Amino acid sequence: MMGLIDFKFGNLKKGERDLITDVKGVKVGHFTIDDGDIHTGVTAILPHEGNIFKEKVVASSYVINGFGKSVGLIQVEELGTIETPIILTNTLSVGTALSGLTKYMLLNNEDIGKTTGTVNSIVCECNDGYLNDIRAMSVKEEHVFYAIENAKEDFDEGNVGAGCGMSCFGHKGGIGSSSRVIQLDNKMYTIGSIVLSNFGAYGDLILNGKKFCENNLDKETDKGSIIIILATDIPLNERQLKRICRRAQVGLSRCGSYLGNGSGDIVIGFSTSNKISHYEERDIVNMKILNENKIDLIFRAVADITEESVISSMIHAKTLQGRDGHVRKSLNIREGK
């Protein structure tokens, strides 16, 4: 991953791209709006290349701190599956993104709401209002369609898509991603992450275990949000996915976050190995799961990829002057790179 050559995030082997899309079938797409006072957009994460409604992935979520407006998590918790792409956007565009995603699902599944039930669309958000004129509500339904239909394995990081107007530790934040490869039973598996970073107080940032600069505790607080999506091809059930989702907060702490009151920190995890057919006819369905005694390696990987994804979102982001002259500088520029 360009820009991170001087940083080290654990000792596990990275995936080929060092992106969440190293998990086979996973794709990511963006629609970016970067014009005048508008700096926002949409990012879509597709769990696999097929019909996600008909072939759901086993999933779980974990709310580290619930200062957020995400949609769809209740059903994920109850049923342990995801049946749509995951959409990321800004806080005031959740309703529009939800409508766009739902219309996309209806267009591609004529049975929804007719011969079968409705659909649990998933939308997550962060507040980009410091740099973006969030009141303009510039995200449109067609932007969701574009992000989904143009999703691919190679995608940009930094201030793109939903990350266009985000801030992180007082610097420019946005989209970041990472992956690790793990051997289990003589077979190689992958676990990857993508984050929408918009959290942390200036001065709290830690790079390679060292404080980046000093914080003024009287003025700075940890507020904003971060959305973390974890994907893997390791066979896991929803309980095991919940356990690995919890470990994402280790990576956040390594970066300097103390999970502040004003931060919405949400994690969603899914496995592409176990798929649930919407029209399953069998009464009993087989499912592979991980031997729990082998899960520590995955915990370690989640901590590493979460930390790296956050730093990657800042390294790849470009300095941005947003609304009312507000500026967030790239971490690359502050490092003199």
Side-chain angles (χ1 to χ4, degrees):
M1 181 176 290
M2 292 180 63
L4 297 181
I5 191 170
D6 296 327
F7 300 108
K8 188 171 180 62
F9 305 94
N11 297 312
L12 296 174
K13 181 182 178 181
K14 296 184 179 184
E16 180 181 356
R17 301 178 187 85
D18 199 16
L19 297 172
I20 191 173
T21 49
D22 287 324
V23 179
K24 186 177 180 180
V26 176
K27 293 184 176 180
V28 173
H30 301 302
F31 187 89
T32 305
I33 312 172
D34 191 13
D35 183 26
D37 286 341
I38 308 301
H39 309 280
T40 192
V42 172
T43 294
I45 300 99
L46 280 61
H48 63 74
E49 297 172 311
N51 187 311
I52 302 169
F53 181 74
K54 290 184 172 62
E55 293 291 331
K56 311 175 197 303
V57 291
V58 172
S60 187
S61 65
Y62 179 61
V63 179
I64 301 172
N65 192 65
F67 205 124
K69 289 80 181 171
S70 295
V71 175
L73 299 187
I74 291 177
Q75 185 166 311
V76 173
E77 282 297 283
E78 182 67 22
L79 301 185
T81 59
I82 286 174
E83 60 186 13
T84 74
I86 300 167
I87 301 298
L88 310 180
T89 190
N90 74 65
T91 306
L92 296 188
S93 294
V94 168
T96 300
L98 176 63
S99 179
L101 176 57
T102 302
K103 288 181 179 179
Y104 176 86
M105 296 303 296
L106 294 177
L107 181 65
N108 289 277
N109 297 274
E110 294 181 354
D111 50 342
I112 292 176
K114 287 186 176 181
T115 59
T116 190
T118 57
V119 63
N120 183 51
S121 298
I122 300 177
V123 180
C124 298
E125 54 74 35
C126 292
N127 185 346
D128 58 12
Y130 183 78
L131 293 173
N132 172 50
D133 180 7
I134 195 170
R135 291 175 60 90
M137 299 181 70
S138 300
V139 170
K140 308 301 180 185
E141 293 176 3
E142 55 264 32
H143 301 160
V144 176
F145 274 68
Y146 182 94
I148 295 172
E149 292 171 350
N150 290 275
K152 52 189 179 181
E153 294 175 342
D154 291 309
F155 61 92
D156 291 333
E157 299 175 75
N159 41 337
V160 293
C164 184
M166 300 299 172
S167 306
C168 194
F169 289 105
H171 306 281
K172 187 66 190 70
I175 297 293
S177 191
S178 182
S179 70
R180 294 294 184 273
V181 177
I182 296 171
Q183 182 172 312
L184 298 165
D185 286 339
N186 297 315
K187 182 179 178 180
M188 304 310 293
Y189 293 91
T190 305
I191 183 164
S193 67
I194 186 170
V195 305
L196 178 61
S197 70
N198 191 60
F199 73 107
Y202 179 82
D204 283 345
L205 177 62
I206 296 173
L207 291 173
N208 277 10
K210 296 180 180 180
K211 264 294 188 69
F212 186 66
C213 57
E214 292 302 317
N215 192 3
N216 186 335
L217 297 179
D218 294 330
K219 295 182 179 180
E220 296 291 338
T221 58
D222 186 348
K223 59 184 179 181
S225 283
I226 183 168
I227 305 299
I228 304 166
I229 310 298
L230 303 174
T232 187
D233 55 7
I234 301 171
L236 302 170
N237 63 18
E238 62 272 30
R239 180 187 59 79
Q240 292 175 324
L241 283 163
K242 169 80 76 176
R243 296 193 71 199
I244 71 168
C245 284
R246 290 194 183 107
R247 270 59 185 188
Q249 58 194 324
V250 177
L252 298 184
S253 296
R254 288 180 184 173
C255 295
S257 174
Y258 57 86
L259 313 176
N261 171 65
S263 187
D265 311 316
I266 312 294
V267 190
I268 297 174
F270 62 85
S271 169
T272 62
S273 177
N274 288 317
K275 294 185 176 70
I276 305 298
S277 173
H278 183 78
Y279 291 107
E280 179 61 63
E281 295 181 355
R282 294 172 296 177
D283 293 334
I284 305 296
V285 179
N286 293 326
M287 180 183 293
K288 289 183 178 181
I289 64 170
L290 179 75
N291 175 355
E292 211 86 5
N293 293 321
K294 306 295 183 179
I295 203 168
D296 276 351
L297 195 60
I298 304 173
F299 289 166
R300 183 182 296 276
V302 168
D304 291 348
I305 60 178
T306 302
E307 179 188 12
E308 181 175 350
S309 293
V310 170
I311 303 304
S312 182
S313 73
M314 303 169 72
I315 291 290
H316 286 89
K318 298 177 182 178
T319 295
L320 178 66
Q321 179 172 324
R323 69 163 183 88
D324 299 330
H326 294 170
V327 176
R328 292 299 193 200
K329 293 184 177 181
S330 168
L331 186 61
N332 252 335
I333 291 176
R334 294 189 64 84
E335 288 280 280
K337 296 183 179 181

